[in-house]
């Protein structure tokens, strides 16, 4: 793909998300979502390999179905209330349809099946965009209509997403699939909280984007496709192995690390609203996720993953950039890793938004 075409597509993706952020009319929200989807699809299949094209087609079909459901909800709202305003409360039937459409875009249970396959079929940078940036526009739509949705339904979907995300990642050996199921579990935490505290859900999403960006960029920098590759990382770059282990443990919510703020904010909001059962189930679901987080951390630093002695690891291509040259990717990697490891120092600032 030519560089100018790539920059135009990236600008269109950012523009589509910006339209959703600034819109108060349902039609412009739908236009922003469609512009975002149509612009990200050529980026996903940039290498034109069969696996990339398959994942791009899956992503396009899922996003098209969800956008069509949103458009149907908008038409029903305009027919019943003669209003295209996004602030118009949804009815009982339309609120369920909107919950289904947003859950399909965010990868919530039972609409999560497409997300691990799509993440596995694209590169690390594309997977980073799908698991972070592409979640922003649907989350803004969810934040605008959350007062009209059934909080119990949204909380149940989030709770089941945490359980499915933890259970599905237990026997995975591919790093991208592990991160995909981790994303499903984290979106379950966020959506379970946003019905009770919108500001708490926004803080949790911000923290998740920072931590997940660091882990994805580290895995993409060292081309860690499977846990066997992770197990060989400490042999040639011990600093990268330490940062990866701490980043993964931060995703798991280890208290000294920045990821602990996600669990703390969610549990504080749920306990304050009296949802003790939901908080307990979320904690039990996070224990499942903690198992494969610890497995990735152990493989990166402490133990060697079971593998054949003839496994070839492409470490020679890691030093292609000249030493001392600062790139945008390197700066973003350093910033996201630094914040994910030491960002708990700014936790009082984040908690002040609640």
């Amino acid at each position: 793909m030519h560089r100018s075409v790539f920059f135009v597509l990236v600008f269109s993706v950012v523009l589509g998300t910006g339209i959703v952020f600034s819109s108060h009319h349902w039609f412009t929200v739908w236009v922003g979502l469609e512009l975002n989807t149509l612009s990200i699809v050529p980026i996903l299949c940039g290498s034109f390999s069969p696996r990339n094209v398959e994942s791009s087609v899956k992503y396009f079909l899922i996003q098209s179905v969800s956008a069509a459901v949103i458009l149907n909800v908008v038409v029903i709202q305009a027919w019943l209330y003669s209003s295209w305003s996004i602030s118009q409360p949804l009815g009982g039937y339309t609120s369920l349809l909107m919950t289904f459409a947003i859950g399909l875009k965010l990868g919530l249970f039972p609409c999560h099946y497409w997300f691990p396959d799509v993440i596995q079929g694209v590169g690390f940078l594309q997977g980073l965009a799908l698991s972070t940036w592409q979640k922003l526009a649907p989350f803004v739509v969810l934040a605008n209509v959350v007062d009209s949705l059934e909080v119990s339904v949204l909380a149940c979907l989030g709770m089941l997403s945490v359980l499915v995300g933890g259970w599905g990642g237990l026997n995975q050996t591919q790093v991208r699939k592990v991160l995909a199921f981790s994303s499903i579990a984290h979106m379950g935490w966020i959506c379970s909280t946003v019905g009770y505290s919108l500001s708490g859900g926004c803080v949790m999403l911000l923290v998740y984007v920072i931590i997940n960006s660091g882990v994805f960029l580290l895995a993409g920098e060292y081309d860690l496709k499977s846990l066997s590759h992770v197990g060989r990382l400490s042999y040639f770059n011990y600093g990268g192995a330490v940062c990866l282990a701490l980043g993964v443990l931060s995703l798991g919510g280890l208290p000294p690390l920045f990821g602990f703020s996600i669990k703390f904010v969610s549990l504080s909001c749920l306990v304050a609203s009296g949802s003790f059962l939901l908080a307990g189930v979320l904690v039990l679901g996070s224990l499942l996720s903690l198992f494969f987080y610890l497995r990735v951390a152990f493989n990166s630093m402490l133990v060697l993953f079971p593998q054949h002695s003839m496994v070839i690891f492409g470490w020679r291509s890691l030093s292609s950039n000249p030493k001392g040259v600062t790139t945008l990717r390197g700066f973003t990697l350093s910033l996201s890793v630094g914040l994910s490891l030491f960002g708990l120092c700014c936790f009082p600032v984040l908690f002040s938004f609640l």
Side-chain angles (χ1 to χ4, degrees):
M1 182 182 297
H2 197 271
R3 182 175 299 179
S4 60
V5 176
F6 177 75
F7 285 151
V8 170
L9 292 174
V10 171
F11 175 76
S12 300
V13 171
V14 176
L15 178 62
T17 306
I19 291 174
V20 176
F21 268 72
S22 59
S23 295
H24 299 281
H25 194 278
W26 274 116
F27 183 74
T28 53
V29 169
W30 178 78
V31 169
L33 291 174
E34 286 297 296
L35 179 62
N36 184 282
T37 300
L38 294 177
S39 301
I40 197 68
V41 169
I43 297 177
L44 297 181
C45 60
S47 60
F48 292 104
S49 64
R51 192 68 176 90
N52 284 138
V53 174
E54 178 187 353
S55 298
S56 304
V57 171
K58 287 181 180 179
Y59 181 77
F60 174 73
L61 292 177
I62 293 297
Q63 298 301 309
S64 300
V65 170
S66 60
V69 173
I70 291 177
L71 187 59
N72 285 329
V73 170
V74 171
V75 172
I76 293 174
Q77 284 290 109
W79 178 41
L80 293 178
Y81 304 105
S82 300
S83 174
W84 290 81
S85 175
I86 199 172
S87 59
Q88 175 68 36
L90 299 175
Y93 176 70
T94 53
S95 65
L96 291 177
L97 285 178
M98 183 62 71
T99 304
F100 168 76
I102 295 176
L104 197 60
K105 280 187 172 294
L106 293 177
L108 293 178
F109 178 88
C111 311
H112 65 283
Y113 50 86
W114 62 272
F115 193 70
D117 289 337
V118 171
I119 294 293
Q120 180 63 28
V122 298
F124 281 101
L125 290 180
Q126 291 90 337
L128 172 61
L130 290 181
S131 60
T132 55
W133 182 266
Q134 293 300 105
K135 301 293 181 67
L136 297 181
F139 183 79
V140 170
V141 178
L142 175 62
N144 287 324
V145 301
V146 68
D147 294 333
S148 303
L149 302 180
E150 288 291 338
V151 177
S152 58
V153 175
L154 189 61
C156 288
L157 293 182
M159 177 183 65
L160 293 173
S161 298
V162 172
L163 295 175
V164 168
W167 188 265
L170 289 178
N171 61 344
Q172 299 296 330
T173 59
Q174 300 296 316
V175 173
R176 280 172 289 190
K177 280 198 173 183
V178 169
L179 294 177
F181 282 106
S182 171
S183 178
I184 294 172
H186 277 88
M187 292 311 299
W189 275 89
I190 294 171
C191 292
S192 298
T193 308
V194 73
Y196 299 95
S197 175
L198 180 58
S199 58
C202 294
V203 169
M204 293 169 63
L205 181 63
L206 175 62
V207 175
Y208 168 70
V209 167
I210 294 173
I211 301 173
N212 196 53
S213 299
V215 175
F216 258 102
L217 289 174
L218 274 172
E221 183 71 20
Y222 300 112
D223 197 22
L224 305 177
K225 296 180 180 179
S226 64
L227 293 184
S228 62
H229 291 166
V230 174
R232 299 173 68 90
L233 178 60
S234 60
Y235 286 92
F236 66 91
N237 195 321
Y238 191 76
V242 172
C243 289
L244 180 65
L246 292 178
V248 170
L249 292 177
S250 183
L251 273 178
L254 196 66
L257 303 175
F258 196 32
F260 172 68
S261 58
I262 296 179
K263 307 295 190 297
F264 184 84
V265 169
S266 178
L267 293 178
S268 63
C269 295
L270 294 176
V271 171
S273 60
S275 302
F276 300 104
L277 179 61
L278 176 60
V281 175
L282 290 180
V283 171
L284 291 177
S286 67
L287 295 179
L288 296 173
S289 302
L290 187 61
F291 178 82
F292 59 79
Y293 289 138
L294 290 174
R295 183 172 61 173
V296 174
F298 286 161
N299 288 335
S300 63
M301 290 184 58
L302 301 178
V303 298
L304 183 62
F305 189 79
Q307 56 189 321
H308 196 271
S309 59
M310 297 301 293
V311 172
I312 299 175
F313 189 70
W315 58 271
R316 298 181 184 272
S317 61
L318 298 177
S319 59
S320 57
N321 291 330
K323 292 183 178 181
V325 177
T326 302
T327 61
L328 178 60
R329 183 175 179 178
F331 175 77
T332 307
L333 174 61
S334 303
L335 181 63
S336 58
V337 170
L339 285 176
S340 63
L341 301 184
F342 308 108
L344 200 59
C345 301
C346 60
F347 178 67
V349 179
L350 293 175
F351 200 74
S352 64
F353 290 104
L354 300 180

